[in-house]
Amino acid sequence: MTALDPRPAPDTTTALRFPTGFRWGTATAAYQIEGAAREHGRTPSIWDTFSRVPGKVRNGDTGDIAADHYHRVSEDIALMRELGVTDYRFSVSWPRVQPTGRGPAVRQGLDFYRRLADELREAGIRPVATLYHWDLPQELEDAGGWPQRETALRFADYAAVMAEALGDRVTTWTTLNEPWCAAFLGYGSGVHAPGRTSALASLRAAHHFNLAHGLATRALRAALPGGAAEVSLTLNLHAVRGHTDSPEDLDAVRRIDAVGNRVFLDPVFRGTLPEDLVRDTAAVTDWSFVQDGDLATASAPIDSLGINYYSPTVVAAGSSVSDGRSPEPSPWAGAERHVRFLPAPGPRTAMDWPVDADGLHELLVRLRDELPGVPLMITENGAAYDDYADPEGRVRDPERVAYLRAHLAAVHRAIEDGADVRGYFLWSLLDNFEWAYGYSKRFGIVHVDFATQRRTFKDSARWYAEVIARGGIES
């Protein structure tokens, strides 16, 4: 990854200017926008199955049509060109290109992503491909899913297939998006697909995600030799704060940091398991599923680390179990009976998430210190609000503009403080299927009328276009 020119962009009208060469992008995920769920050989993913379980997704929504991006690629790329983004981060639907999760790829599926990449390049936009954004082929889940080692091996094969198909068009590859959510919400608390509720399964899945990342990194480099593959991993790291500075609350912070952050950071960047996490989860597992050589594989060098950030996490010592009953299924393996989660102060988004840009600055400065020499990218950051088109057809979203401005200012401050941040990808380009919330939450800077599929720039989109054109934000 080429280092940025440290000189500011030559625009004296902007108070907070980002380095020349800073990558300005936006991001989406396949299941959330593509639709075309049964076309051209695509088979069900775990989210197709999960969304059909009564009560799992609000209003019984599914991603069958979503934002119909599969049929509207050119229209959506025209929107990106108008925004002026330099990069577009999309994910590949594994069951669209490899329906059973193994074996030969489907030509029509590969052709869709070839066309997407070609049209992006023609528009002057760099394609950034994410291999996994939670849509595991259902056939692999039926065989055991991510708690099974075999899934990591199949993922490496899939990475090689995609490198061969798109290696002449895509140079920036992200192996996994938010493996914490996929492992601990999917297999621990069960609020995400596939909806399993087992602390052991969530820890096994987390390890196999680390292994899959390392194997896929090797596969990408083997298929794209000579530095042609720029490989990254995206984590939704938790900015964890204690309610007080008491030893008990600080231990709660430690526990959540172990199972929320270091469960991935330590294997990927140090080739080790967090010793305190192993102790915290001793009642769940002895970690014997970690085989010799796994951690060395997981720590294959990468070119950048992607950070997804939305809000901080506030914890205190205690337990949600008040009367001796078993707790509700939890994503926090080993911490369920030791940690309470508290609401953070301040304004909140439509997701009821607190707005606190300082948490992003805290994460970036921490990574500056703990991972020197690792370039950082903000691969998701954004907010959901209750957007609607007014009688004139305008979508006014001043809260989102304020959110984005504050978080970009936090990124700028982190860069000034020495964090090597190379780019910012706003989540999201389009209103879309927001997982268990269905279509009830809108994260896009482009409003989508799901009945007509009409796209409309929100005020935040026009604001972001101005930021990109200036290379920075007003103070």
Side-chain angles (χ1 to χ4, degrees), residues 155-241:
F155 183 73
D157 293 343
Y158 158 62
V161 167
M162 293 310 304
E164 182 178 354
L166 294 182
D168 59 341
R169 297 165 166 87
V170 175
T171 56
T172 303
W173 298 86
T174 299
T175 56
L176 306 171
N177 178 80
E178 296 189 358
W180 186 88
C181 291
F184 292 98
L185 300 182
Y187 292 93
S189 66
V191 298
H192 277 195
R196 290 161 63 177
T197 54
S198 164
L200 174 58
S202 68
L203 293 169
R204 290 178 62 96
H207 171 64
H208 292 135
F209 275 122
N210 286 329
L211 177 62
H213 160 71
L215 291 170
T217 298
R218 289 182 179 179
L220 289 167
R221 298 215 189 278
L224 302 169
E230 180 183 300
V231 182
S232 68
L233 168 70
T234 283
L235 302 176
N236 60 310
L237 296 176
H238 301 79
V240 191
R241 299 170 180 164

Side-chain angles (χ1 to χ4, degrees), residues 136-145:
L136 182 71
Q138 182 62 44
E139 188 165 318
L140 290 184
E141 173 60 24
D142 293 342

Side-chain angles (χ1 to χ4, degrees), residues 402-423:
Y403 179 101
L404 296 172
R405 179 187 291 114
H407 285 76
L408 279 169
V411 174
H412 186 274
R413 182 156 51 99
I415 293 172
E416 287 189 322
D417 290 340
D420 186 9
V421 185
R422 305 288 182 89

Side-chain angles (χ1 to χ4, degrees), residues 30-31 37 41-50 92-106 131-147 150-159 162 176 187 193-194 196 209:
Y31 190 73
R42 184 188 181 278
T43 57
S45 73
I46 55 175
W47 270 97
D48 292 278
T49 302
F50 183 78
V92 177
S93 169
W94 192 349
R96 191 178 297 285
V97 300
Q98 203 179 32
T100 66
R102 51 173 64 85
V106 171
L131 290 174
Y132 189 75
H133 199 134
W134 309 353
D135 46 359
L136 182 71
Q138 182 62 44
E139 188 165 318
L140 290 184
E141 173 60 24
D142 293 342
W146 285 106
E150 181 70 14
T151 305
L153 304 181
R154 299 287 68 77
F155 183 73
D157 293 343
Y158 158 62
M162 293 310 304
L176 306 171
Y187 292 93
R196 290 161 63 177
F209 275 122

Side-chain angles (χ1 to χ4, degrees), residues 351-418:
M351 298 288 287
D352 198 32
W353 294 347
V355 179
D356 188 334
D358 286 343
L360 179 54
H361 178 265
E362 292 166 15
L363 278 178
L364 294 173
V365 170
R366 170 186 175 173
L367 294 170
R368 174 202 67 189
D369 296 339
E370 294 186 5
L371 303 177
V374 178
L376 306 174
M377 303 284 286
I378 308 304
T379 40
E380 285 185 26
N381 177 240
Y385 289 100
D386 295 323
D387 306 319
Y388 61 92
D390 67 17
E392 289 75 40
R394 181 175 173 183
V395 182
R396 306 171 190 267
D397 56 343
E399 301 94 344
R400 181 175 290 105
V401 171
Y403 179 101
L404 296 172
R405 179 187 291 114
H407 285 76
L408 279 169
V411 174
H412 186 274
R413 182 156 51 99
I415 293 172
E416 287 189 322
D417 290 340

